[in-house]
Amino acid sequence: MTRQINHFINGKHVDGTSGRTGDVFNPNTGEVQAKVALASADEVRNAVAAAQNAFTEWSAVNPQRRARVLFEFKHLVEKDMDHLAELLSNEHGKVLADSKGDVQRGLEVIEFACGVPHLMKGEYTEGAGPGIDVYSMRQPLGVVAGITPFNFPAMIPMWMFGVAIACGNTFICKPSEKDPSVPMRLAELMLDAGAPAGVLNVVNGDKEAVDAILTDPRIHAVSFVGSSAIAEYIYSTGTAHGKRVQAMGGAKNHAIVMPDADMDRVVDDLIGAGYGSAGERCMALPVAVPVGQEVGDELVSRLKPRVESLTVGVSTDPDANYGPLVTKEHMAKVKGFVDQGVKEGAELVVDGRDFQLQGYENGNFMGGCLFDKVTPDMESYKEEIFGPVVQIVRAESFDEAMALPSNHQYGNGVAIYTQDGDAAREFASRVNVGMVGVNVPIPVPLAYHTFGGWKRSAFGGINQHGPEGVRFFTKIKTVTSRWPTGVRSGSDFVIPTMK
Ligand code: NAD
């Protein structure tokens, strides 16, 4: 019988009652390996009620004790690492070592969240007026929700619920319906770590569940990561319903290769960041911009044999560089972009469209593709491909190269490769993109910094994790108090000032 993945509400596995389910595929074989329940609006409302009940108790637990639960959660996740990585690889298709990286990057946010008591502290001014002291405090919002994409089923839920729960909120996670098993397991582990039932709930579902989250007045904030069209919808609908919303979207990250760059490093980094995880990363490097004819020619001639010799294999193969794409539908979309690039006149230097893995002919495998002579007017350049495809757009100067990511609709990450500190500094300062790498291919900020792109890569302006994450999941109350109250000066009809 096909395995059924349900919901995790109020500390228990709860069967779906909507009668609707989605297929969870094994991307290695293309087979349906499980059915995931798709929640109705009523099921979402039940989860919100559980989270609301849990909020009274959880928000009253002192911040250090809440942090201790997260410490314990971190230990339990570490102990369960192999199992989590297997679940992840099996539904997503990324290779096991990369799945462990996914879990580990999430754990780094949990480590950060263990220190949230420090960031929850308010400010204090003694003697702001006669007998008057002013202080501020950060308080949790209440029930908050996270809606997450398929490509980091461990890290991204942990970005959100780690910080939210540490701040005293209770949480509804709506994972991607393509790979829901890891978030379900994380919720079990949070309960085992000592979080009361209802603090972390997982409701599986699609648009119906998302819309129920966006319109429920008991949910105070929504954190979203996914594609830009949906991010924009989440932002406009959530804010129209009075919620605080942060919504991260798609990406098209460029690597600028200056003539003085260390080419060995550039080639290694482009291969890893362009093709790792089959290119299904919002911080992948799918565009390289060599500056000058010679740099372009050298880059293409050095990348070509490396792309041709990439090892594509099943997600459990320790020798595979990357595994299958998440679904057949997604693979068709990626191949469609490659077809389009060819039609638009780009030069397809390596064509991986027809790759098949022997013994896994029905799996979602695709070889690496490399395009040269891509131009900014091509649709295949303007859109996010999200597959094992790197496009080379040649530029004649530093300014022309910097204009490409700066003018692109997306502004998530960007990298520059150079030995020239002046150029690197100027680039980091002027480029119109939210996260910059200097000789670093995937500039994903560490947990105690914050993650977020610009332009159509993020709606809402407040980043994930780090101090910004604490601001997102808390509200400030400022208290002005007078002690002793004995001094009287009569009624004052003028606004008090510091004159
Ligand atoms: P997606 O937008 O299809 O799905 C994301 C979430 O939205 C899922 O939970 C899904 O169930 C839900 N959803 C899908 N369609 C919906 C609809 N019509 N109405 C309401 N909810 C809907 O994204 P995906 O394919 O799962 O993930 C890949 C995308 O995520 C890529 O565009 C990638 O760049 C982006 N991403 C961005 C970041 C970032 O931080 N900027 C990080 C990771 C992934």
Side-chain angles (χ1 to χ4, degrees), residues 309-341:
S309 58
L310 284 166
T311 308
V312 184
V314 287
S315 54
T316 47
D317 177 353
D319 296 326
N321 297 134
Y322 67 85
L325 282 92
V326 68
T327 56
K328 284 217 168 359
E329 193 188 354
H330 182 59
M331 185 168 65
K333 193 171 144 205
V334 172
K335 287 185 180 174
F337 275 121
V338 180
D339 297 344
Q340 188 176 11

Short mmCIF file of all heavy atoms in Angstrom, two decimals, residues 309-341:
data_model
loop_
_atom_site.label_atom_id
_atom_site.label_comp_id
_atom_site.label_asym_id
_atom_site.label_seq_id
_atom_site.Cartn_x
_atom_site.Cartn_y
_atom_site.Cartn_z
N SER A 309 32.12 15.95 -18.23
CA SER A 309 32.49 14.81 -17.38
C SER A 309 31.82 14.84 -16.01
O SER A 309 32.25 14.12 -15.10
CB SER A 309 34.02 14.75 -17.24
OG SER A 309 34.48 15.96 -16.69
N LEU A 310 30.77 15.63 -15.86
CA LEU A 310 30.03 15.61 -14.58
C LEU A 310 29.46 14.21 -14.35
O LEU A 310 29.02 13.55 -15.29
CB LEU A 310 28.87 16.61 -14.63
CG LEU A 310 29.24 18.09 -14.49
CD1 LEU A 310 28.05 18.96 -14.91
CD2 LEU A 310 29.65 18.41 -13.06
N THR A 311 29.48 13.77 -13.09
CA THR A 311 28.90 12.46 -12.78
C THR A 311 27.49 12.66 -12.24
O THR A 311 27.30 13.22 -11.16
CB THR A 311 29.76 11.73 -11.72
OG1 THR A 311 31.10 11.74 -12.18
CG2 THR A 311 29.29 10.31 -11.49
N VAL A 312 26.52 12.21 -13.04
CA VAL A 312 25.13 12.31 -12.62
C VAL A 312 24.71 10.92 -12.15
O VAL A 312 24.97 9.93 -12.84
CB VAL A 312 24.24 12.75 -13.80
CG1 VAL A 312 22.80 12.97 -13.35
CG2 VAL A 312 24.79 14.02 -14.44
N GLY A 313 24.12 10.84 -10.96
CA GLY A 313 23.77 9.51 -10.46
C GLY A 313 22.59 9.56 -9.51
O GLY A 313 22.05 10.65 -9.22
N VAL A 314 22.22 8.39 -9.00
CA VAL A 314 21.11 8.36 -8.05
C VAL A 314 21.54 9.08 -6.78
O VAL A 314 22.73 9.20 -6.49
CB VAL A 314 20.65 6.91 -7.71
CG1 VAL A 314 19.90 6.30 -8.87
CG2 VAL A 314 21.81 6.05 -7.27
N SER A 315 20.56 9.55 -6.02
CA SER A 315 20.87 10.42 -4.89
C SER A 315 21.65 9.70 -3.78
O SER A 315 22.24 10.34 -2.93
CB SER A 315 19.59 11.05 -4.35
OG SER A 315 18.66 10.05 -4.04
N THR A 316 21.67 8.37 -3.81
CA THR A 316 22.43 7.64 -2.80
C THR A 316 23.84 7.28 -3.28
O THR A 316 24.62 6.70 -2.53
CB THR A 316 21.71 6.31 -2.45
OG1 THR A 316 21.34 5.69 -3.69
CG2 THR A 316 20.49 6.54 -1.59
N ASP A 317 24.18 7.63 -4.52
CA ASP A 317 25.49 7.28 -5.06
C ASP A 317 26.54 8.26 -4.52
O ASP A 317 26.50 9.45 -4.83
CB ASP A 317 25.41 7.37 -6.60
CG ASP A 317 26.75 7.10 -7.28
OD1 ASP A 317 27.77 6.97 -6.56
OD2 ASP A 317 26.77 7.04 -8.52
N PRO A 318 27.50 7.78 -3.72
CA PRO A 318 28.47 8.71 -3.10
C PRO A 318 29.38 9.37 -4.15
O PRO A 318 30.00 10.39 -3.85
CB PRO A 318 29.27 7.83 -2.14
CG PRO A 318 29.00 6.43 -2.56
CD PRO A 318 27.72 6.39 -3.31
N ASP A 319 29.45 8.80 -5.35
CA ASP A 319 30.32 9.38 -6.37
C ASP A 319 29.60 10.38 -7.27
O ASP A 319 30.24 11.02 -8.13
CB ASP A 319 30.91 8.27 -7.26
CG ASP A 319 31.81 7.35 -6.44
OD1 ASP A 319 32.47 7.87 -5.51
OD2 ASP A 319 31.81 6.14 -6.70
N ALA A 320 28.29 10.49 -7.11
CA ALA A 320 27.54 11.39 -8.00
C ALA A 320 27.80 12.84 -7.61
O ALA A 320 27.84 13.19 -6.43
CB ALA A 320 26.05 11.08 -7.93
N ASN A 321 27.98 13.71 -8.64
CA ASN A 321 28.08 15.14 -8.37
C ASN A 321 26.70 15.73 -8.08
O ASN A 321 26.56 16.64 -7.27
CB ASN A 321 28.68 15.89 -9.55
CG ASN A 321 30.10 15.46 -9.86
OD1 ASN A 321 30.46 15.22 -11.00
ND2 ASN A 321 30.93 15.34 -8.83
N TYR A 322 25.72 15.23 -8.81
CA TYR A 322 24.35 15.63 -8.50
C TYR A 322 23.40 14.53 -8.93
O TYR A 322 23.75 13.65 -9.71
CB TYR A 322 23.99 17.00 -9.11
CG TYR A 322 23.90 17.08 -10.62
CD1 TYR A 322 22.74 16.74 -11.31
CD2 TYR A 322 24.99 17.53 -11.36
CE1 TYR A 322 22.66 16.85 -12.69
CE2 TYR A 322 24.92 17.63 -12.75
CZ TYR A 322 23.75 17.29 -13.41
OH TYR A 322 23.66 17.39 -14.77
N GLY A 323 22.18 14.61 -8.41
CA GLY A 323 21.18 13.57 -8.65
C GLY A 323 20.10 14.04 -9.62
O GLY A 323 20.31 14.95 -10.42
N PRO A 324 18.93 13.43 -9.51
CA PRO A 324 17.83 13.77 -10.42
C PRO A 324 17.17 15.10 -10.06
O PRO A 324 17.33 15.58 -8.94
CB PRO A 324 16.84 12.63 -10.20
CG PRO A 324 17.10 12.19 -8.79
CD PRO A 324 18.57 12.35 -8.56
N LEU A 325 16.43 15.65 -11.01
CA LEU A 325 15.62 16.82 -10.71
C LEU A 325 14.38 16.38 -9.94
O LEU A 325 14.05 15.19 -9.92
CB LEU A 325 15.24 17.56 -12.00
CG LEU A 325 16.41 18.41 -12.52
CD1 LEU A 325 17.25 17.65 -13.51
CD2 LEU A 325 15.92 19.70 -13.13
N VAL A 326 13.73 17.36 -9.31
CA VAL A 326 12.71 16.97 -8.33
C VAL A 326 11.51 16.24 -8.96
O VAL A 326 11.02 15.26 -8.38
CB VAL A 326 12.27 18.19 -7.48
CG1 VAL A 326 11.50 19.21 -8.31
CG2 VAL A 326 11.45 17.76 -6.27
N THR A 327 11.03 16.70 -10.09
CA THR A 327 9.88 16.04 -10.74
C THR A 327 10.09 16.05 -12.26
O THR A 327 10.87 16.84 -12.80
CB THR A 327 8.54 16.77 -10.47
OG1 THR A 327 8.68 18.12 -10.90
CG2 THR A 327 8.13 16.73 -9.02
N LYS A 328 9.31 15.23 -12.93
CA LYS A 328 9.36 15.20 -14.41
C LYS A 328 8.89 16.53 -14.98
O LYS A 328 9.42 17.02 -15.95
CB LYS A 328 8.39 14.12 -14.92
CG LYS A 328 8.92 12.75 -14.74
CD LYS A 328 8.55 11.86 -15.91
CE LYS A 328 9.32 10.58 -15.86
NZ LYS A 328 10.27 10.40 -14.79
N GLU A 329 7.88 17.07 -14.32
CA GLU A 329 7.31 18.34 -14.77
C GLU A 329 8.40 19.43 -14.71
O GLU A 329 8.56 20.21 -15.66
CB GLU A 329 6.18 18.67 -13.79
CG GLU A 329 5.26 19.75 -14.20
CD GLU A 329 4.32 20.09 -13.03
OE1 GLU A 329 4.32 19.41 -11.98
OE2 GLU A 329 3.60 21.08 -13.19
N HIS A 330 9.15 19.43 -13.62
CA HIS A 330 10.20 20.45 -13.50
C HIS A 330 11.30 20.20 -14.53
O HIS A 330 11.81 21.14 -15.16
CB HIS A 330 10.77 20.47 -12.07
CG HIS A 330 11.80 21.53 -11.89
ND1 HIS A 330 11.52 22.87 -12.10
CD2 HIS A 330 13.12 21.48 -11.59
CE1 HIS A 330 12.61 23.59 -11.92
NE2 HIS A 330 13.60 22.77 -11.62
N MET A 331 11.63 18.92 -14.75
CA MET A 331 12.68 18.62 -15.73
C MET A 331 12.23 19.09 -17.13
O MET A 331 13.05 19.65 -17.88
CB MET A 331 12.99 17.12 -15.74
CG MET A 331 14.15 16.78 -16.67
SD MET A 331 14.77 15.12 -16.45
CE MET A 331 13.39 14.15 -16.98
N ALA A 332 10.97 18.89 -17.44
CA ALA A 332 10.47 19.32 -18.77
C ALA A 332 10.59 20.84 -18.89
O ALA A 332 10.93 21.36 -19.97
CB ALA A 332 9.02 18.88 -18.93
N LYS A 333 10.35 21.54 -17.80
CA LYS A 333 10.43 23.01 -17.82
C LYS A 333 11.90 23.43 -18.08
O LYS A 333 12.17 24.32 -18.90
CB LYS A 333 9.94 23.53 -16.47
CG LYS A 333 9.69 25.00 -16.45
CD LYS A 333 8.98 25.39 -15.15
CE LYS A 333 9.50 26.76 -14.73
NZ LYS A 333 9.41 27.02 -13.33
N VAL A 334 12.82 22.77 -17.39
CA VAL A 334 14.24 23.11 -17.55
C VAL A 334 14.68 22.83 -18.99
O VAL A 334 15.32 23.68 -19.64
CB VAL A 334 15.11 22.30 -16.55
CG1 VAL A 334 16.59 22.49 -16.84
CG2 VAL A 334 14.79 22.71 -15.11
N LYS A 335 14.29 21.67 -19.51
CA LYS A 335 14.67 21.34 -20.90
C LYS A 335 14.04 22.32 -21.87
O LYS A 335 14.63 22.69 -22.89
CB LYS A 335 14.26 19.90 -21.24
CG LYS A 335 15.15 18.87 -20.53
CD LYS A 335 14.80 17.46 -20.97
CE LYS A 335 15.69 16.45 -20.25
NZ LYS A 335 15.32 15.07 -20.52
N GLY A 336 12.84 22.77 -21.54
CA GLY A 336 12.14 23.75 -22.38
C GLY A 336 12.96 25.05 -22.46
O GLY A 336 13.06 25.66 -23.54
N PHE A 337 13.55 25.45 -21.36
CA PHE A 337 14.39 26.65 -21.38
C PHE A 337 15.63 26.44 -22.24
O PHE A 337 16.10 27.36 -22.92
CB PHE A 337 14.82 27.04 -19.96
CG PHE A 337 13.80 27.89 -19.24
CD1 PHE A 337 13.25 27.46 -18.04
CD2 PHE A 337 13.41 29.12 -19.75
CE1 PHE A 337 12.31 28.24 -17.37
CE2 PHE A 337 12.48 29.92 -19.08
CZ PHE A 337 11.93 29.47 -17.89
N VAL A 338 16.18 25.21 -22.21
CA VAL A 338 17.36 24.93 -23.05
C VAL A 338 16.94 25.00 -24.53
O VAL A 338 17.63 25.64 -25.35
CB VAL A 338 17.99 23.56 -22.70
CG1 VAL A 338 19.20 23.29 -23.58
CG2 VAL A 338 18.38 23.51 -21.22
N ASP A 339 15.81 24.39 -24.86
CA ASP A 339 15.30 24.46 -26.25
C ASP A 339 15.16 25.93 -26.66
O ASP A 339 15.54 26.32 -27.77
CB ASP A 339 13.91 23.81 -26.37
CG ASP A 339 13.93 22.32 -26.04
OD1 ASP A 339 15.03 21.74 -26.02
OD2 ASP A 339 12.84 21.75 -25.78
N GLN A 340 14.61 26.71 -25.76
CA GLN A 340 14.35 28.11 -26.07
C GLN A 340 15.67 28.87 -26.31
O GLN A 340 15.79 29.66 -27.24
CB GLN A 340 13.60 28.74 -24.90
CG GLN A 340 13.12 30.14 -25.20
CD GLN A 340 12.30 30.69 -24.05
OE1 GLN A 340 12.26 30.12 -22.96
NE2 GLN A 340 11.65 31.81 -24.28
N GLY A 341 16.68 28.58 -25.46
CA GLY A 341 17.99 29.22 -25.62
C GLY A 341 18.56 28.93 -27.01
O GLY A 341 19.12 29.82 -27.67
#
